[in-house]
Amino acid sequence: MAAFTKYMLFLTLFVLSITLSNAIYFSGNVHVHITNDLQPGLNLTFHCKSGDNDLRERVLSHGQTFDFHFRKSVYRDDTLFYCSFAWNGAFHWFEIYNQLRDDDYCEELCDWKIREDGPRLMLNDGKIRFMAYEWKD
C-alpha cells in the first residue's frame, strides 16, 4: 500500500508540474491587426516575421486589415515580430510586436494603423486614442 501511495503522489506531482509549467511558460494568444491607413488609393505591401515564423509578403488596399495571432513567452519576455512596409517607392520597417514594449498596452490585441508618418497603436481603453511611433529606418 505504501508503494501505491508513493506512486500516486509522484504521478500527481508530475502531472501538476507539467500543467503549471505550461501555464507559466505560455500565456494566452496575442492578436495583431495591421490596417492600411495610408492615403486612399495606396496599396500597402508588407512582410512580417519572427524568429520562428514567416508570415510571407502580403498586400492590403486602403482600409483593409490583416490579422495574425501567436502565444507570447512569459519566462523570457522576448517575443518579437517585425515587419517591412512598402508603398509608392517608400520602404520602412518596424517591430510590430515587441513584448518588452507592448505587454502593457496590448495584452491580447495589438491594433495597428499603418500611416505614411509611422505606425499607430490604437489603445483599447474605451476611448479613441493611439500611440504614434516613428519608423525604425
Side-chain angles (χ1 to χ4, degrees):
M1 182 75 175
F4 178 75
T5 303
K6 287 181 182 178
Y7 174 75
M8 288 307 294
L9 180 61
F10 171 78
L11 186 60
T12 301
L13 290 174
F14 178 74
V15 169
L16 183 62
S17 69
I18 298 259
T19 303
L20 287 176
S21 67
N22 283 340
I24 290 171
Y25 186 76
F26 293 110
S27 67
N29 281 336
V30 174
H31 295 266
V32 175
H33 297 179
I34 300 172
T35 301
N36 176 355
D37 202 25
L38 301 172
Q39 295 176 15
L42 290 180
N43 287 338
L44 175 66
T45 302
F46 67 100
H47 186 176
C48 297
K49 294 181 180 184
S50 73
D52 301 320
N53 299 295
D54 185 340
L55 304 179
R56 10 182 229 110
E57 186 175 285
R58 299 172 185 274
V59 178
L60 295 175
S61 59
H62 178 76
Q64 282 188 316
T65 299
F66 172 73
D67 305 315
F68 68 96
H69 65 274
F70 56 90
R71 288 188 175 273
K72 63 182 177 178
S73 170
V74 173
Y75 277 146
R76 297 185 310 248
D77 289 337
D78 65 351
T79 305
L80 177 69
F81 275 86
Y82 57 94
C83 303
S84 61
F85 298 93
W87 66 90
N88 273 10
F91 181 85
H92 302 285
W93 72 273
F94 186 73
E95 293 171 348
I96 208 70
Y97 184 83
N98 179 329
Q99 188 171 351
L100 292 174
R101 178 195 68 208
D102 297 328
D103 216 18
D104 292 335
Y105 299 111
C106 45
E107 189 172 310
E108 294 179 6
L109 173 64
C110 289
D111 186 10
W112 291 97
K113 308 288 188 207
I114 305 302
R115 296 187 174 181
E116 290 89 343
D117 59 350
R120 295 186 179 199
L121 176 62
M122 308 309 291
L123 300 176
N124 301 308
D125 60 0
K127 302 174 187 173
I128 299 175
R129 298 188 312 144
F130 61 86
M131 294 181 60
Y133 291 90
E134 294 181 3
W135 296 114
K136 292 290 185 179
D137 44 58

